Amino acid sequence: MERRESFQERRKRQQARRRLLGKLAAVLIGAVFLFGLCKKTADQFLLTGEKKQDSYIGIEDAGHMVWLLADCRQEQPTQAPAETTDAAQEFDGDNTHAAVVSAHAAGSRSTPDQVLDLMEKFQAESDDGYLTWTQAKQFFSCLPGSRELFLGGAYTGTERVEKADWYDWFDRARRKYDAAGKIQEETVVVLGILKGMKMDREMRKKARKLL
């Protein structure tokens, strides 16, 4: 009788142990599943953030495009005399814009040089390297009439400018300021670059004249 009870107790203990092990296994599987779900969610969030960052136009890229347009416009044989006046009226009330237009009207510096000055100024002031709408409007002041060619989103202040909107503007502006088709698109493969290396202004000019 005692052996029978001992056998039953041992059997109950084994069953209890199996149930405990089953619960532990279920908890472990659930924890692994939740960890995987959290990781997947975090990865998607990070990728979305990176993708969103990549959708903005950088100050340097935008500046190079405006420089090319300004350089082509400067080489045109004739300039409409009313363009500078129109630009000054369009940006009246903005000290920075008025200063750029005044410098252009006075002929103290070429428009392409003004673009480079603005680009360097924006880069020094920027925390992330992306072009804001306020900065974009100052670039527009170097190309009278170019603001009307921008048909992008409803920008009002310091929002970052989307690449798609900027490229659409550049395509329209190129047809206006580069009627001769001097600006050509080329695919360039970058093999490597030294960290911290910067091109000075003269090197930049020579590089762009090769396009």
Side-chain angles (χ1 to χ4, degrees), residues 10-201:
R10 187 164 57 252
R11 186 176 179 182
K12 289 180 180 179
R13 285 197 297 271
Q14 290 175 347
Q15 291 175 345
R17 191 180 296 111
R18 291 193 188 98
R19 286 195 295 270
L20 179 61
L21 291 175
K23 291 179 180 179
L24 290 175
V27 171
L28 181 61
I29 293 172
V32 172
F33 175 77
L34 288 175
F35 176 78
L37 183 62
C38 291
K39 185 176 183 303
K40 183 178 180 180
T41 302
D43 290 343
Q44 288 178 343
F45 178 78
L46 292 175
L47 288 174
T48 301
E50 291 177 0
K51 183 177 180 181
K52 185 61 179 176
Q53 289 285 89
D54 290 341
S55 69
Y56 300 121
I57 187 70
I59 291 172
E60 187 171 7
D61 291 339
H64 290 167
M65 293 181 188
V66 179
W67 188 95
L68 287 170
L69 294 172
D71 191 51
C72 289
R73 177 178 179 272
Q74 183 171 271
E75 293 178 0
Q76 291 177 359
T78 58
Q79 298 287 344
E83 285 184 339
T84 300
T85 303
D86 294 341
Q89 293 175 350
E90 177 184 354
F91 292 99
D92 186 29
D94 189 312
N95 293 333
T96 304
H97 299 160
V100 172
V101 175
S102 297
H104 173 66
S108 59
R109 289 181 64 75
S110 68
T111 304
D113 281 341
Q114 293 176 33
V115 173
L116 292 179
D117 288 340
L118 283 177
M119 184 174 69
E120 291 174 358
K121 175 177 178 289
F122 296 159
Q123 286 177 318
E125 297 173 346
S126 177
D127 294 328
D128 54 20
Y130 292 107
L131 184 74
T132 66
W133 179 242
T134 301
Q135 295 167 341
K137 289 191 295 184
Q138 294 184 50
F139 273 146
F140 294 149
S141 70
C142 297
L143 296 170
S146 62
R147 170 65 183 88
E148 290 76 12
L149 300 175
F150 191 90
L151 306 178
Y155 300 97
T156 58
T158 58
E159 306 96 335
R160 295 172 182 169
V161 179
E162 296 279 348
K163 278 184 179 178
D165 293 337
W166 189 259
Y167 289 146
D168 286 345
W169 167 81
F170 179 73
D171 288 340
R172 282 186 288 272
R174 186 169 60 175
R175 290 192 289 271
K176 177 176 181 178
Y177 300 109
D178 182 30
K182 293 183 178 180
I183 300 175
Q184 299 293 325
E185 296 182 7
E186 297 289 344
T187 300
V188 179
V189 178
V190 179
L191 299 179
I193 187 169
L194 295 177
K195 185 178 181 181
M197 182 178 180
K198 294 183 178 180
M199 295 175 63
D200 62 24
R201 180 167 295 187

